[in-house]
Amino acid sequence: MMKFKNLFKKRILIPLALLGVFGAYTAETYIAFPTYPASDHYDAASGRFHNNPPSRAVAKVGLTAALWKMVFHERAMHPPRALPMQTPDWQAFFKPSEQAKFVWFGHSTLFVRLNGKTILIDPVYDNTPSPVGLMMHRFQPPPVALADLPPIDVVVYSHVHYDHLDSKVVEYFAQNQPNIQFITPLGVGEYLKKWGIAPHNIRELDWWQSVDLFGTTFHAVPARHDASRSLYDKNKSLWAGWVLQTPIEKIYYSGDSSYSPNFAEIGRRLGGFDWVFMENGQYNQPWEDSHMFPAQTIQAVLDVNAKRFVPVHWAAYPLSVHGWDESVRESAKIAAEKNVPMVTPIMGQVFDAQTQTEKWWETVK
């Protein structure tokens, strides 16, 4: 009987759950994307972007077990209690300074105060970055309610996956802060326009293109990942990391990426970064060509030549089957072994180059 129940779970319940996800994907409004110039990462005939060399397919071995655990045993990947968090000291954040200041909201959402302007990267507020509410529930709300955010000058997006692009946030900005400027990879602007952003407020870039805005140069740099929000738009838009450069500082945000020679190339072209915000979590062997394991994260930090490293893409959502703090525990150990300076702020904490941080996750028992 037990063997039959396990077989039923694997062959019936998981496919039904996946059908629910695919059904939700098809509900996303169809978007007609423009055709971009052919390149080594874009096929004009199919209208799809790709990695070079192409990404490997998600491995079937282990995938079903991982999805089962993520749907039916999600609590095992949550922290045992609420994570420490602060309400941002906005007065300190906005106090004039030549140095960049930051506030991390968990996962990959990052406030940057740079050159007298406020930049928000990959803002996500949704309770789950899944198109249906089956899994991946947020550990706790962000440090600040969406309606209580301060004025924002620029929003930067890395790609269109649900854990980086939240349609409700975009719609809120369209209605409440209509003068925000948006900087995105190619194709992402099509989603923003659908959700109410004026076309003249959107700047789309290809890899290695740049735009100057408010005294800061924004460089789009390669990442090894993918992009989709529905069954119809797979890789119709580009994914990217970002370099923010002023005359005195350079900041690199990786976006999502598996490990690749891209990091060494970014280091050669633009490296010597004051700050690197590198993806650090949500890895698993079946999707090893989408996200980095901790040792790869630290190697990528070394490749781009960073003065200090902040791990992101963790502490908000369980997008894999590893422990909620496994990625930062492992990365902290490897970073110490390789003498990589690592900064680990509490969510909501205002921090800069002088801020001393602790291994706060060790206190979450």
Side-chain angles (χ1 to χ4, degrees), residues 56-67 284-290:
R56 295 162 288 184
V58 174
K60 295 181 180 179
V61 177
L63 178 61
T64 300
L67 291 174
N284 198 2
Q285 206 64 45
W287 50 86
E288 62 179 338
D289 222 9
S290 292

Side-chain angles (χ1 to χ4, degrees), residues 60-95:
K60 295 181 180 179
V61 177
L63 178 61
T64 300
L67 291 174
W68 177 263
K69 187 174 182 180
M70 291 171 69
V71 173
F72 297 104
H73 300 281
E74 181 187 320
R75 294 300 306 178
M77 282 80 76
H78 280 237
R81 64 173 178 84
L83 303 180
M85 192 164 64
Q86 299 178 2
T87 300
D89 182 347
W90 293 120
Q91 185 175 357
F93 182 75
F94 286 107
K95 184 178 180 180

Side-chain angles (χ1 to χ4, degrees), residues 41-58:
H41 55 278
Y42 180 73
D43 177 48
S46 66
R48 298 186 190 276
F49 294 93
H50 55 83
N51 292 304
N52 191 13
S55 296
R56 295 162 288 184
V58 174

Side-chain angles (χ1 to χ4, degrees), residues 130-147:
S130 167
V132 292
L134 288 175
M135 54 186 177
M136 305 178 186
H137 295 90
R138 192 169 190 128
F139 299 156
Q140 63 198 54
V144 179
L146 188 59

